[in-house]
């Protein structure tokens, strides 16, 4: 297998190691399966580009990139943007859910206090 | 302008005054006493919005029901809690009133009249419908004119005081707002969203005072973020399909 440069090997090996780390995080329940998906896809794509020079060159040609390195960077950047957007959406939803839970909790606690006061009054 | 009395209506169990309070231990007792004195027949709810001072204690001492948020959710969240409370307990109208003593409860009658009479779904107590002598700082005034223009553009209706925190909402509006409401201070975007749903808004003239104590919700950081957020939210409220 012919590599274009030593960098390509570093990138490929790095991607595989990151993928293994992500899977290990899932195993240790530090990362949910849902969140691991994007990471696994991204590292797999980078690893394929790193290990297979023909595919890398073909995609570079297809996208009209000036160099093979740009292709790898482009994929990395695209993943970073996708991940950030995904996290922003998740964060917004979490904030909304948190908001709702706080309001529910407040009302329930108030009702509980009321009931306790009533019981105290009757007994 | 003479402040009128809240009127002869029997409002017991029909009208709930919702007072969002975030660290308002200083001004709250005065505000509560004034509401009791000038509008003895209405019920009051304090929504203690994650205060770190004795807001809840002060309110309880006054014998007023208090609902306490575990964290600070903002005025919007506090009102949402108040609306839900009002809906569950069968109140016809919810009135938003500031804890800081800006709003004179003597104007409750004027504020409630259009909603009680069924002429409007939301009644807004406005500083500007008539000359009432209130003058806000320049940046606030610019913002108010700007967002009043935005609302006018969107609704073809003139609302001069979009940031007024003295409003009355009927049950139909509260039913919607308990689930869907702006997180921050509910102003121009809320008015646009409500009108787009077919609710009728109206403005009545009231006199507002300087705040008695505590801090305004508008801090410097928010002054930069606020116009952006409010403009975007107004646009979204306008283009969003009313549910």
């Amino acid at each position: 297998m012919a590599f274009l440069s030593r960098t390509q090997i570093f990138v490929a090996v790095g991607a595989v190691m990151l993928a293994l780390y992500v899977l290990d995080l899932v195993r240790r329940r530090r990362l949910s399966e849902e969140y691991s998906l994007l990471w696994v896809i991204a590292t797999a794509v980078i690893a394929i580009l790193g290990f297979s020079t023909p595919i890398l060159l073909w995609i570079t040609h297809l996208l009209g990139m000036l160099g093979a390195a740009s292709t790898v960077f482009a994929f990395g950047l695209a993943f970073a943007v996708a991940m950030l957007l995904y996290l922003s959406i998740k964060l917004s939803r979490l904030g909304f859910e948190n908001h709702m839970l706080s309001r529910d909790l407040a009302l329930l606690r108030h009702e509980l206090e009321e009931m306790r006061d009533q019981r105290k009054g009757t007994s | 302008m003479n402040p009128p009395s809240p009127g002869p209506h029997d409002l017991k169990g029909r009208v709930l005054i919702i007072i969002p309070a975030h660290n308002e231990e200083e001004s709250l007792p005065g505000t509560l006493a004034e509401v009791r004195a000038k509008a003895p027949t209405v019920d009051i709810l304090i929504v203690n919005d994650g205060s770190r001072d004795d807001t809840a204690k002060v309110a309880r001492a006054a014998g007023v029901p208090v609902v306490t948020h575990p964290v600070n959710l903002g005025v919007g969240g506090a009102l949402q809690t108040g609306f839900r409370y009002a809906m569950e307990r069968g109140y016809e109208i919810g009135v938003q009133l500031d804890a800081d003593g800006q709003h004179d409860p003597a104007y409750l009658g004027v504020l409630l009249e259009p909603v009680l009479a069924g002429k409007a779904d939301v009644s807004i107590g406005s500083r500007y419908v008539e000359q009432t002598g209130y003058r806000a700082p320049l940046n606030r005034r610019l913002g108010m004119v700007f967002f009043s223009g935005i609302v006018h553009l969107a609704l073809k209706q003139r609302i001069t005081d979009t940031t007024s925190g003295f409003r009355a909402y009927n049950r139909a509006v509260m039913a919607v707002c308990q689930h869907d409401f702006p997180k921050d201070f509910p102003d121009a975007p809320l008015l646009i969203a409500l009108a787009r749903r077919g609710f009728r808004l109206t403005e009545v003239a009231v006199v507002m005072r300087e705040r008695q104590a505590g801090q305004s919700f508008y801090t410097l950081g928010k002054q930069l973020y606020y116009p952006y957020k409010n403009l975007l939210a107004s646009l979204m409220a306008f283009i969003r399909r009313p549910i």
Side-chain angles (χ1 to χ4, degrees), chain B:
Chain B
M1 207 158 108
N2 268 334
S5 76
H9 303 282
D10 185 18
L11 304 175
K12 193 81 196 148
R14 295 174 65 198
V15 176
L16 179 71
I17 309 278
I18 302 162
I19 305 182
H22 175 60
N23 296 338
E24 295 280 7
E25 61 175 9
E26 285 173 48
S27 43
L28 199 55
T31 304
L32 288 176
E34 196 182 14
V35 175
R36 284 257 169 83
K38 293 184 177 172
T41 59
V42 299
D43 290 333
I44 306 173
L45 174 73
I46 305 293
V47 183
N48 172 27
D49 193 17
S51 299
R52 267 175 279 171
D53 65 358
D54 281 335
T55 296
K57 218 166 134 191
V58 160
R60 260 189 220 106
V64 176
V66 188
V67 173
T68 297
H69 287 164
V71 289
N72 181 243
L73 298 184
V75 185
L79 282 172
Q80 247 179 315
T81 297
F83 291 153
R84 174 104 169 262
Y85 180 98
M87 290 301 291
E88 282 171 359
R89 290 167 200 239
Y91 288 98
E92 289 165 37
I93 298 173
V95 174
Q96 170 189 358
L97 183 114
D98 280 6
D100 63 19
Q102 268 192 77
H103 306 140
D104 188 345
Y107 287 95
L108 265 174
V110 175
L111 184 73
L112 287 171
E113 198 276 325
V115 183
L116 279 171
K119 285 183 283 189
D121 301 296
V122 180
S123 172
I124 303 162
S126 168
R127 286 158 271 206
Y128 303 109
V129 169
E130 288 166 29
Q131 278 306 320
T132 51
Y134 175 89
R135 272 183 85 75
L138 181 68
N139 53 350
R140 279 291 296 276
R141 255 196 341 258
L142 281 176
M144 284 164 173
V145 169
F146 180 71
F147 281 105
S148 179
I150 296 285
V151 170
H152 184 66
L153 206 67
L155 305 183
K156 312 272 176 283
Q157 183 186 351
R158 180 77 57 204
I159 304 283
T160 47
D161 196 355
T162 58
T163 59
S164 164
F166 191 36
R167 300 194 193 127
Y169 309 82
N170 71 7
R171 219 173 142 76
V173 176
M174 289 197 288
V176 169
C177 288
Q178 65 175 336
H179 301 301
D180 184 11
F181 206 64
K183 260 169 89 172
D184 308 295
F185 194 90
D187 46 27
L190 171 73
L191 300 180
I192 294 171
L194 288 178
R196 293 273 293 156
R197 283 174 192 267
F199 291 121
R200 297 156 301 159
L201 317 176
T202 193
E203 254 185 325
V204 297
V206 301
V207 175
M208 288 196 192
R209 300 173 293 210
E210 296 293 316
R211 46 187 300 112
Q212 311 283 303
Q215 238 191 349
S216 171
F217 279 98
Y218 296 90
T219 57
L220 182 69
K222 280 181 190 158
Q223 275 184 28
L224 300 173
Y225 161 70
Y226 176 84
Y228 158 76
K229 186 227 82 185
N230 230 24
L231 194 57
L232 182 67
S234 297
L235 180 70
M236 291 304 163
F238 183 67
I239 61 177
R240 211 174 266 148
R241 202 175 312 178
I243 311 157

Side-chain angles (χ1 to χ4, degrees), chain A residues 14-72:
Chain A
V16 170
M17 281 168 64
L18 187 59
L20 288 176
Y21 181 59
V22 166
L23 291 175
D24 189 51
L25 284 175
V26 176
R27 184 185 66 82
R28 287 187 287 139
R29 299 182 206 282
R30 297 264 305 273
L31 182 68
S32 72
E33 285 84 349
E34 183 197 355
Y35 285 95
S36 71
L37 183 67
L38 253 177
W39 285 105
V40 169
I41 291 173
T43 45
V45 168
I46 300 286
I48 290 169
L49 291 181
F51 279 118
S52 168
T53 306
I55 293 181
L56 175 59
L57 290 178
W58 178 68
I59 291 177
T60 303
H61 179 72
L62 198 74
L63 295 179
M65 297 279 186
L66 292 180
S70 307
T71 309
V72 178

